[in-house]
Amino acid sequence: MTGAFDAFSPLCPSRSVVDDVTDRWPALVLIALLEKPHRFAEAARTVGGISDRMLSRTLTTLVADGLVVRTDHGEQHVEYELSASGHHIATALKGVVTAVYDVMPEILQAKAIAASA
Amino acid sequence: MTGAFDAFSPLCPSRSVVDDVTDRWPALVLIALLEKPHRFAEAARTVGGISDRMLSRTLTTLVADGLVVRTDHGEQHVEYELSASGHHIATALKGVVTAVYDVMPEILQAKAIAASA
DNA sequence: CAGGATCCAAGATGATACTG
DNA sequence: CAGTATCATCTTGGATCCTG
């Protein structure tokens, strides 16, 4: 692979990070933060369909992983922004979403065929 | 965003594909197939820790999405390989894994600090 | 080898309500 | 606003057994 890490091995520390990052909510939240720092409620609005609970939990783990930085500005004003590591990963994730957009026509066609079969 | 699709909207068809693709098993399976086509048992070995059941399910949905092509060579010999769409997405996913490898040192450090706090 | 069927534990998730 | 606590539920994922 690239060197010391191997995401295919369940024992490699990189595996758990890959698992964390390639989960539905973490992935979407990271991409959302890529655009700009978000406040809690703001992030909830950006990422459609996420509940307060999941957003809270997701942000907590991302902060624990050092991918997101939480800053308490007081006055009930908290901001979440990407760390350098988080930015690096979020950019890659955005690439995945972009790739999905690229091939959506083919995917929709494949699904249509599957559905009609 | 890029155009007609918006993964942040729960209603956009791209959202479900992004969800599918950014799940632990699908992501790892796609990356595994990026290297070369795999037979069933072969894929199970490559992706450490996956059970037959999950591999079967995962491959089924990936085939349904048109990202993976299943070819039955008879004689109990089946091969799974990426379609053009799948290859495009898998490449992007590999980028995510690579990005994770890149920042693993920082992540491990962050976790260590969090654990000792 | 390929993979479906069944059973079941554990965790993910959402809605709601509540706190500072 | 920024969360946390609780509850009910749905899904995930593994183990095991079975078929062709």
Side-chain angles (χ1 to χ4, degrees), chain A residues 47-101:
Chain A
V47 181
I50 195 171
S51 62
D52 282 2
R53 205 179 97 86
M54 278 304 108
L55 179 56
S56 174
R57 181 196 266 278
T58 299
L59 286 171
T60 300
T61 73
L62 291 176
V63 169
D65 282 349
L67 302 181
V68 169
V69 178
R70 190 198 119 114
T71 308
D72 190 336
H73 290 277
E75 303 292 322
Q76 287 81 44
H77 182 171
V78 178
E79 269 205 346
Y80 294 90
E81 63 186 317
L82 296 175
S83 67
S85 308
H87 190 274
H88 191 60
I89 292 179
T91 301
L93 283 170
K94 192 182 172 66
V96 173
V97 173
T98 302
V100 170
Y101 290 162

Coordinates of all heavy atoms in Angstrom, one line a residue, chain A residues 47-101:
Chain A
V47 N -26.7 19.7 6.7 CA -26.7 18.3 6.4 C -28.2 17.8 6.6 O -28.6 17.6 7.7 CB -25.8 17.5 7.4 CG1 -25.9 16.0 7.1 CG2 -24.4 18.0 7.3
G48 N -28.9 17.8 5.5 CA -30.3 17.4 5.5 C -30.6 16.1 6.1 O -30.0 15.1 5.8
G49 N -31.5 16.1 7.1 CA -32.0 14.8 7.6 C -31.3 14.3 8.9 O -31.6 13.3 9.4
I50 N -30.2 15.0 9.3 CA -29.5 14.5 10.5 C -30.2 15.0 11.7 O -30.8 16.1 11.7 CB -28.0 15.0 10.5 CG1 -27.2 14.3 11.5 CG2 -28.0 16.5 10.7 CD1 -25.7 14.5 11.5
S51 N -30.3 14.2 12.7 CA -30.9 14.6 14.0 C -29.9 15.2 14.9 O -28.7 15.0 14.7 CB -31.5 13.4 14.7 OG -30.5 12.5 15.0
D52 N -30.4 16.0 15.9 CA -29.5 16.7 16.8 C -28.6 15.6 17.5 O -27.4 15.8 17.6 CB -30.3 17.3 17.9 CG -30.9 18.7 17.5 OD1 -30.7 19.0 16.3 OD2 -31.5 19.3 18.3
R53 N -29.2 14.5 17.8 CA -28.4 13.5 18.5 C -27.3 13.0 17.7 O -26.1 12.9 18.2 CB -29.3 12.3 18.9 CG -28.9 11.5 20.0 CD -29.9 10.4 20.3 NE -29.5 9.2 19.7 CZ -28.7 8.3 20.3 NH1 -28.2 8.6 21.5 NH2 -28.3 7.2 19.7
M54 N -27.5 12.7 16.5 CA -26.5 12.1 15.6 C -25.4 13.2 15.3 O -24.2 12.9 15.2 CB -27.1 11.6 14.3 CG -27.7 10.2 14.4 SD -26.4 9.1 15.0 CE -27.0 8.8 16.7
L55 N -25.9 14.4 15.1 CA -24.9 15.5 14.8 C -24.0 15.6 16.0 O -22.8 15.7 15.9 CB -25.7 16.8 14.5 CG -24.7 18.0 14.2 CD1 -23.8 17.7 13.1 CD2 -25.6 19.2 13.9
S56 N -24.6 15.6 17.2 CA -23.8 15.8 18.4 C -22.8 14.7 18.5 O -21.6 14.9 18.7 CB -24.7 15.8 19.6 OG -24.0 15.8 20.8
R57 N -23.2 13.5 18.3 CA -22.4 12.3 18.4 C -21.3 12.3 17.4 O -20.1 12.1 17.7 CB -23.2 11.1 18.3 CG -22.5 9.8 18.4 CD -23.4 8.7 17.8 NE -24.2 8.0 18.8 CZ -23.7 7.0 19.6 NH1 -22.5 6.6 19.5 NH2 -24.5 6.4 20.4
T58 N -21.7 12.6 16.2 CA -20.7 12.7 15.1 C -19.6 13.7 15.3 O -18.4 13.4 15.1 CB -21.5 13.0 13.7 OG1 -22.4 12.0 13.5 CG2 -20.5 13.1 12.6
L59 N -20.0 14.9 15.7 CA -19.1 15.9 16.0 C -18.1 15.5 17.1 O -16.9 15.8 17.0 CB -19.8 17.2 16.3 CG -20.4 17.9 15.1 CD1 -21.3 19.1 15.6 CD2 -19.4 18.4 14.1
T60 N -18.7 14.9 18.1 CA -17.8 14.5 19.2 C -16.7 13.5 18.8 O -15.6 13.7 19.1 CB -18.7 13.8 20.3 OG1 -19.7 14.7 20.7 CG2 -17.8 13.3 21.5
T61 N -17.1 12.5 17.9 CA -16.1 11.6 17.5 C -15.1 12.3 16.5 O -13.9 12.0 16.6 CB -16.7 10.3 16.8 OG1 -17.2 10.7 15.6 CG2 -17.7 9.7 17.7
L62 N -15.6 13.1 15.7 CA -14.6 13.8 14.8 C -13.7 14.7 15.6 O -12.5 14.8 15.2 CB -15.4 14.7 13.8 CG -16.2 13.9 12.8 CD1 -17.0 14.8 11.9 CD2 -15.3 13.0 11.9
V63 N -14.2 15.3 16.6 CA -13.3 16.1 17.4 C -12.3 15.2 18.1 O -11.1 15.5 18.2 CB -14.1 16.9 18.5 CG1 -13.1 17.6 19.5 CG2 -14.9 18.0 17.8
A64 N -12.7 14.1 18.6 CA -11.8 13.1 19.3 C -10.8 12.6 18.3 O -9.6 12.3 18.7 CB -12.6 12.0 19.8
D65 N -11.1 12.5 17.1 CA -10.1 12.0 16.1 C -9.2 13.2 15.7 O -8.3 13.0 14.9 CB -10.8 11.5 14.8 CG -11.4 10.1 15.0 OD1 -11.0 9.5 16.1 OD2 -12.2 9.6 14.2
G66 N -9.5 14.4 16.1 CA -8.6 15.5 15.7 C -8.9 16.0 14.3 O -8.1 16.7 13.8
L67 N -10.0 15.6 13.8 CA -10.4 16.1 12.4 C -11.1 17.4 12.4 O -11.1 18.2 11.5 CB -11.2 15.1 11.7 CG -10.5 13.7 11.6 CD1 -11.4 12.7 10.8 CD2 -9.2 13.8 10.9
V68 N -11.8 17.7 13.6 CA -12.6 18.9 13.7 C -12.2 19.6 15.0 O -11.9 18.9 16.0 CB -14.1 18.5 13.7 CG1 -14.9 19.7 14.1 CG2 -14.5 18.0 12.4
V69 N -12.2 20.9 14.9 CA -11.9 21.7 16.1 C -13.1 22.4 16.6 O -13.8 23.0 15.8 CB -10.8 22.7 15.8 CG1 -10.5 23.6 17.0 CG2 -9.5 22.0 15.3
R70 N -13.4 22.3 17.9 CA -14.5 22.9 18.5 C -14.1 24.1 19.2 O -13.2 24.1 20.0 CB -15.2 21.9 19.4 CG -16.5 22.4 20.0 CD -16.9 21.6 21.2 NE -17.0 22.6 22.3 CZ -18.2 22.8 22.9 NH1 -19.3 22.1 22.6 NH2 -18.3 23.7 23.9
T71 N -14.7 25.3 18.9 CA -14.3 26.5 19.6 C -15.6 27.1 20.2 O -16.6 27.4 19.6 CB -13.8 27.5 18.6 OG1 -12.7 26.9 17.9 CG2 -13.2 28.7 19.3
D72 N -15.5 27.3 21.5 CA -16.6 27.9 22.3 C -16.4 29.4 22.4 O -15.5 29.8 23.1 CB -16.7 27.2 23.7 CG -17.9 27.6 24.4 OD1 -18.5 28.7 24.1 OD2 -18.4 26.9 25.3
H73 N -17.2 30.1 21.7 CA -17.1 31.6 21.7 C -17.9 32.2 22.9 O -18.0 33.4 22.9 CB -17.6 32.2 20.4 CG -16.6 31.8 19.3 ND1 -15.5 32.6 19.0 CD2 -16.7 30.9 18.3 CE1 -14.9 32.0 17.9 NE2 -15.6 31.0 17.5
G74 N -18.5 31.3 23.7 CA -19.3 31.9 24.8 C -20.6 32.4 24.2 O -20.9 32.4 23.0
E75 N -21.5 32.7 25.2 CA -22.8 33.3 24.7 C -23.5 32.2 23.9 O -24.1 32.6 22.8 CB -22.7 34.6 23.9 CG -21.9 35.7 24.7 CD -22.8 36.2 25.9 OE1 -24.0 36.3 25.7 OE2 -22.2 36.5 26.9
Q76 N -23.4 31.0 24.2 CA -24.1 29.9 23.4 C -23.7 30.0 22.0 O -24.5 29.8 21.1 CB -25.6 30.0 23.5 CG -26.2 29.6 24.8 CD -26.0 30.7 25.9 OE1 -26.3 31.8 25.6 NE2 -25.6 30.4 27.1
H77 N -22.4 30.3 21.7 CA -21.9 30.4 20.4 C -20.7 29.4 20.2 O -19.7 29.7 20.7 CB -21.6 31.8 20.0 CG -21.1 32.0 18.6 ND1 -20.9 33.2 18.0 CD2 -20.8 31.1 17.7 CE1 -20.5 33.0 16.8 NE2 -20.4 31.7 16.5
V78 N -21.0 28.3 19.6 CA -19.9 27.3 19.4 C -19.7 27.1 17.9 O -20.6 27.1 17.1 CB -20.3 26.0 20.0 CG1 -19.2 24.9 19.7 CG2 -20.5 26.2 21.5
E79 N -18.4 27.1 17.5 CA -18.1 26.9 16.1 C -17.3 25.6 15.9 O -16.4 25.3 16.7 CB -17.4 28.1 15.5 CG -18.3 29.1 14.9 CD -17.6 29.9 13.8 OE1 -16.4 29.9 13.7 OE2 -18.3 30.6 13.1
Y80 N -17.6 24.9 14.8 CA -16.8 23.7 14.4 C -16.2 24.0 13.1 O -16.8 24.4 12.2 CB -17.8 22.5 14.3 CG -18.4 22.1 15.6 CD1 -19.6 22.6 16.0 CD2 -17.8 21.2 16.4 CE1 -20.2 22.2 17.2 CE2 -18.3 20.8 17.6 CZ -19.6 21.3 18.0 OH -20.1 21.0 19.2
E81 N -14.9 23.7 13.1 CA -14.1 23.9 11.8 C -13.2 22.8 11.7 O -12.8 22.1 12.6 CB -13.4 25.2 11.8 CG -12.3 25.4 12.9 CD -11.7 26.8 12.9 OE1 -11.5 27.3 11.9 OE2 -11.6 27.3 14.1
L82 N -12.7 22.5 10.4 CA -11.8 21.4 10.1 C -10.4 21.8 10.6 O -10.0 22.9 10.6 CB -11.8 21.2 8.6 CG -13.1 20.7 8.0 CD1 -12.9 20.6 6.5 CD2 -13.5 19.4 8.6
S83 N -9.7 20.7 11.1 CA -8.3 20.9 11.4 C -7.6 20.6 10.1 O -8.2 20.4 9.1 CB -7.9 19.8 12.4 OG -8.0 18.5 11.8
A84 N -6.3 20.7 10.1 CA -5.6 20.5 8.8 C -5.8 19.0 8.4 O -6.1 18.8 7.2 CB -4.1 20.7 9.1
S85 N -5.8 18.1 9.3 CA -6.0 16.7 9.0 C -7.4 16.5 8.4 O -7.6 15.9 7.4 CB -5.9 15.8 10.2 OG -4.7 16.0 10.9
G86 N -8.4 17.2 9.1 CA -9.8 17.1 8.7 C -10.0 17.6 7.3 O -10.7 17.1 6.5
H87 N -9.3 18.7 7.0 CA -9.4 19.3 5.7 C -8.9 18.4 4.6 O -9.5 18.3 3.5 CB -8.6 20.7 5.7 CG -8.9 21.5 4.5 ND1 -8.2 21.3 3.3 CD2 -9.8 22.5 4.3 CE1 -8.7 22.2 2.4 NE2 -9.7 22.9 3.0
H88 N -7.8 17.8 4.9 CA -7.2 16.9 3.9 C -8.2 15.7 3.6 O -8.4 15.4 2.4 CB -5.9 16.3 4.5 CG -5.0 15.5 3.6 ND1 -4.5 16.1 2.4 CD2 -4.6 14.3 3.6 CE1 -3.8 15.2 1.8 NE2 -3.8 14.1 2.4
I89 N -8.7 15.1 4.6 CA -9.7 14.0 4.4 C -11.0 14.5 3.8 O -11.5 13.9 2.9 CB -9.9 13.3 5.8 CG1 -8.7 12.6 6.2 CG2 -11.1 12.4 5.7 CD1 -8.8 11.9 7.6
A90 N -11.5 15.6 4.3 CA -12.7 16.2 3.7 C -12.6 16.4 2.2 O -13.5 16.2 1.5 CB -13.1 17.4 4.5
T91 N -11.5 16.9 1.8 CA -11.2 17.2 0.4 C -11.4 15.9 -0.4 O -12.0 15.8 -1.5 CB -9.9 17.8 0.2 OG1 -9.8 19.0 0.9 CG2 -9.6 18.1 -1.3
A92 N -10.7 14.8 0.1 CA -10.8 13.5 -0.5 C -12.3 13.0 -0.6 O -12.7 12.5 -1.6 CB -9.9 12.5 0.2
L93 N -13.0 13.2 0.5 CA -14.4 12.8 0.6 C -15.2 13.6 -0.5 O -16.1 13.0 -1.1 CB -15.0 13.0 2.0 CG -14.5 12.0 3.0 CD1 -15.0 12.5 4.4 CD2 -15.1 10.6 2.7
K94 N -14.9 14.8 -0.6 CA -15.7 15.6 -1.6 C -15.4 15.0 -3.0 O -16.3 15.0 -3.8 CB -15.2 17.1 -1.5 CG -16.1 18.0 -2.3 CD -15.6 19.4 -2.3 CE -16.4 20.3 -3.2 NZ -17.8 20.5 -2.8
G95 N -14.2 14.5 -3.2 CA -13.9 13.9 -4.4 C -14.8 12.7 -4.7 O -15.2 12.4 -5.8
V96 N -15.1 12.0 -3.6 CA -16.0 10.8 -3.8 C -17.4 11.3 -4.2 O -18.0 10.7 -5.1 CB -16.1 10.0 -2.5 CG1 -17.1 8.9 -2.6 CG2 -14.7 9.4 -2.1
V97 N -17.9 12.3 -3.5 CA -19.2 12.8 -3.9 C -19.2 13.3 -5.3 O -20.1 13.1 -6.1 CB -19.6 13.9 -2.9 CG1 -20.9 14.6 -3.4 CG2 -19.8 13.4 -1.5
T98 N -18.2 14.0 -5.7 CA -18.1 14.5 -7.1 C -18.1 13.3 -8.1 O -18.7 13.4 -9.1 CB -16.8 15.3 -7.2 OG1 -16.8 16.4 -6.3 CG2 -16.7 15.9 -8.7
A99 N -17.3 12.3 -7.7 CA -17.3 11.1 -8.6 C -18.7 10.5 -8.7 O -19.1 10.1 -9.8 CB -16.3 10.1 -8.0
V100 N -19.4 10.5 -7.6 CA -20.8 10.0 -7.6 C -21.6 10.8 -8.6 O -22.4 10.3 -9.4 CB -21.4 9.9 -6.2 CG1 -22.9 9.6 -6.3 CG2 -20.7 8.9 -5.4
Y101 N -21.5 12.1 -8.5 CA -22.3 13.0 -9.3 C -21.9 12.7 -10.8 O -22.8 12.6 -11.6 CB -21.9 14.5 -9.1 CG -22.4 15.0 -7.8 CD1 -21.9 16.2 -7.2 CD2 -23.4 14.4 -7.0 CE1 -22.3 16.7 -6.0 CE2 -23.9 14.9 -5.8 CZ -23.3 16.1 -5.3 OH -23.8 16.6 -4.2

